[in-house]
Amino acid sequence: METMNHGRRSHLLLAAIAVLALGGCSSSPHVLGERSSSSKAPVNVPGTVGYLYSSSSGINFFQWQTDASGAIQGTQMSASTSGDAPSEQVSTNRSDISGQINGSSVTLDIGFHTDQGVLSSGTLTLNVVQQDGNIQPIVYRRASDADYNAALAKLNSAVQQTNSQQSQADNRAATEQQVAKDYQAIGSDETNVKSDLSSLKDTVSSTATDVGTVHSDERNVLSESGNGTDNGTVCGDAASVSGDASSVSGDASSLSGDLASFTSDLTSLDSDARSLSTDLAALLSIEPGYTGGRNEPSPSTAREAVSGAGSAASADVQSANGDIDEENSYVSTAYGYAADAEKAGNCGESPSPQSPSSHVSASGSQQS
């Protein structure tokens, strides 16, 4: 029977035989003479016979000549796969063999071990010891150099195809994961932006309270200056108004810190939305039928997230710029109260407010 269902372990043992043979016998890259065109078939050498075994994971080829006594001299050529796709490779080995033919019985000395078998109807069946210690028959068919070349080309082509398919699968999986990551990042960014907006409003509310204090103190100074209170007391209280205005200025500095967080998170939102749009387009180009999964957004859901991020960013920026305008107005008002207090007692030059905060854009940058 010429065809048998051989397992990978049988082939791996045969490949290992080739490696052992290389260790015990000389192995050469056989770069002898000028290389002929790859489109030409190898020449048939009179008196040489060959036997080939091939599987999806490797091939093994015996080629020999015999003398009148049946003594065998020849070579073994093998090719085996190693590694995992998409980095699987085909390795080839060549080694010398010897042996004896007696009738239909065959003995082959391969490296550091001997295999025995029979020749029958164009096949060579060798009994080969497996890794688990069992002996299994391995059937080789009569073959030529051209058959070996064809089997090797088929093995290389299969490995290349497997590597290509796995590489494409890995690329799809990585892009799917990136789309999911972008989608989750947008949700996180939007949460952070909302938190920043809440901090802005808290700061503006605190500033409003401080401005109320400045105004109350300013009115007290104006009252003192109108009822004859001595100038030292008036100017001392006017200095307190200026101190209150400085507190408002501190609130404005806190707002600047809030704005830094807001613009940073807004920039991240804009960047992640752009990344999701780009990565989704890349995914659909390599996997047109992509519909999403348990942890991955569908294309429509992803597009809605991108669109929603843009709309939310515009609304958030409008809200933040309103807070900025309100804060700037409070600061200007507070320092106006301080100036009025200083002027009421002719106490000297009033302090100057800090520069007003700038508006922000939807991309997260602050305008000059």
Side-chain angles (χ1 to χ4, degrees):
M1 181 176 180
E2 296 189 13
T3 304
M4 296 184 65
N5 182 18
H6 305 298
R8 180 178 177 88
R9 297 181 67 180
S10 298
H11 169 69
L12 291 176
L13 182 58
L14 291 172
I17 291 171
V19 175
L20 290 172
L22 283 172
C25 307
S26 61
S27 172
S28 91
H30 43 271
V31 187
L32 302 177
E34 183 179 354
R35 183 176 181 179
S36 62
S37 171
S38 59
S39 63
K40 295 181 180 179
V43 297
N44 293 319
V45 180
T48 300
V49 295
Y51 291 92
L52 176 69
Y53 168 78
S54 63
S55 72
S56 61
S57 58
I59 58 178
N60 204 31
F61 182 53
F62 293 123
Q63 189 178 60
W64 68 64
Q65 291 183 336
T66 57
D67 60 17
S69 67
I72 292 174
Q73 291 294 328
T75 59
Q76 178 198 42
M77 289 181 287
S78 65
S80 60
T81 60
S82 61
D84 297 318
S87 301
E88 189 175 12
Q89 295 180 334
V90 176
S91 301
T92 59
N93 290 302
R94 179 184 181 279
S95 59
D96 294 332
I97 61 171
S98 60
Q100 184 70 39
I101 296 178
N102 291 313
S104 62
S105 298
V106 178
T107 300
L108 290 180
D109 295 321
I110 308 169
F112 298 106
H113 74 282
T114 300
D115 285 341
Q116 295 179 330
V118 295
L119 290 170
S120 175
S121 302
T123 63
L124 166 66
T125 303
L126 292 177
N127 289 329
V128 179
V129 179
Q130 307 298 297
Q131 291 181 339
D132 62 3
N134 288 325
I135 298 175
Q136 294 291 330
I138 305 299
V139 180
Y140 292 72
R141 64 178 177 83
R142 187 73 176 267
S144 64
D145 288 349
D147 294 328
Y148 166 77
N149 284 347
L152 180 60
K154 182 178 179 181
L155 181 63
N156 277 315
S157 176
V159 168
Q160 290 172 2
Q161 182 178 11
T162 298
N163 284 340
S164 176
Q165 291 173 343
Q166 188 60 51
S167 179
Q168 292 173 6
D170 290 347
N171 187 34
R172 286 195 300 271
T175 308
E176 288 175 1
Q177 292 174 2
Q178 187 59 50
V179 166
K181 182 179 179 181
D182 294 338
Y183 179 75
Q184 293 169 358
I186 286 178
S188 178
D189 293 337
E190 289 179 337
T191 298
N192 291 338
V193 168
K194 294 301 182 185
S195 177
D196 296 334
L197 282 176
S198 179
S199 295
L200 284 174
K201 292 190 179 302
D202 288 344
T203 299
V204 171
S205 178
S206 177
T207 303
T209 299
D210 289 342
V211 170
T213 300
V214 176
H215 191 199
S216 176
D217 290 345
E218 178 246 8
R219 292 179 64 184
N220 182 56
V221 170
L222 294 180
S223 176
E224 289 175 344
S225 66
N227 62 19
T229 302
D230 64 276
N231 196 60
T233 300
V234 171
C235 288
D237 290 340
S240 295
V241 176
S242 295
D244 294 337
S246 295
S247 295
V248 172
S249 182
D251 293 332
S253 295
S254 295
L255 185 80
S256 295
D258 295 335
L259 283 175
S261 296
F262 175 74
T263 55
S264 175
D265 290 332
L266 202 62
T267 298
S268 295
L269 177 61
D270 179 69
S271 176
D272 289 333
R274 291 175 185 274
S275 294
L276 178 56
S277 181
T278 299
D279 292 335
L280 179 63
L283 177 58
L284 292 176
S285 71
I286 61 178
E287 190 179 354
Y290 170 78
T291 59
R294 184 175 61 180
N295 298 317
E296 298 159 353
S298 66
S300 60
T301 300
R303 293 189 182 102
E304 288 173 2
V306 172
S307 176
S311 298
S314 296
D316 293 339
V317 165
Q318 184 176 2
S319 176
N321 285 337
D323 291 336
I324 291 171
D325 289 341
E326 190 173 0
E327 183 75 8
N328 287 338
S329 176
Y330 282 148
V331 172
S332 177
T333 297
Y335 276 87
Y337 290 152
D340 289 344
E342 295 286 349
K343 183 177 180 181
N346 295 317
C347 301
E349 187 175 350
S350 61
S352 299
Q354 64 189 61
S355 299
S357 297
S358 302
H359 278 184
V360 297
S361 67
S363 63
S365 60
Q366 275 197 276
Q367 303 169 0
S368 58

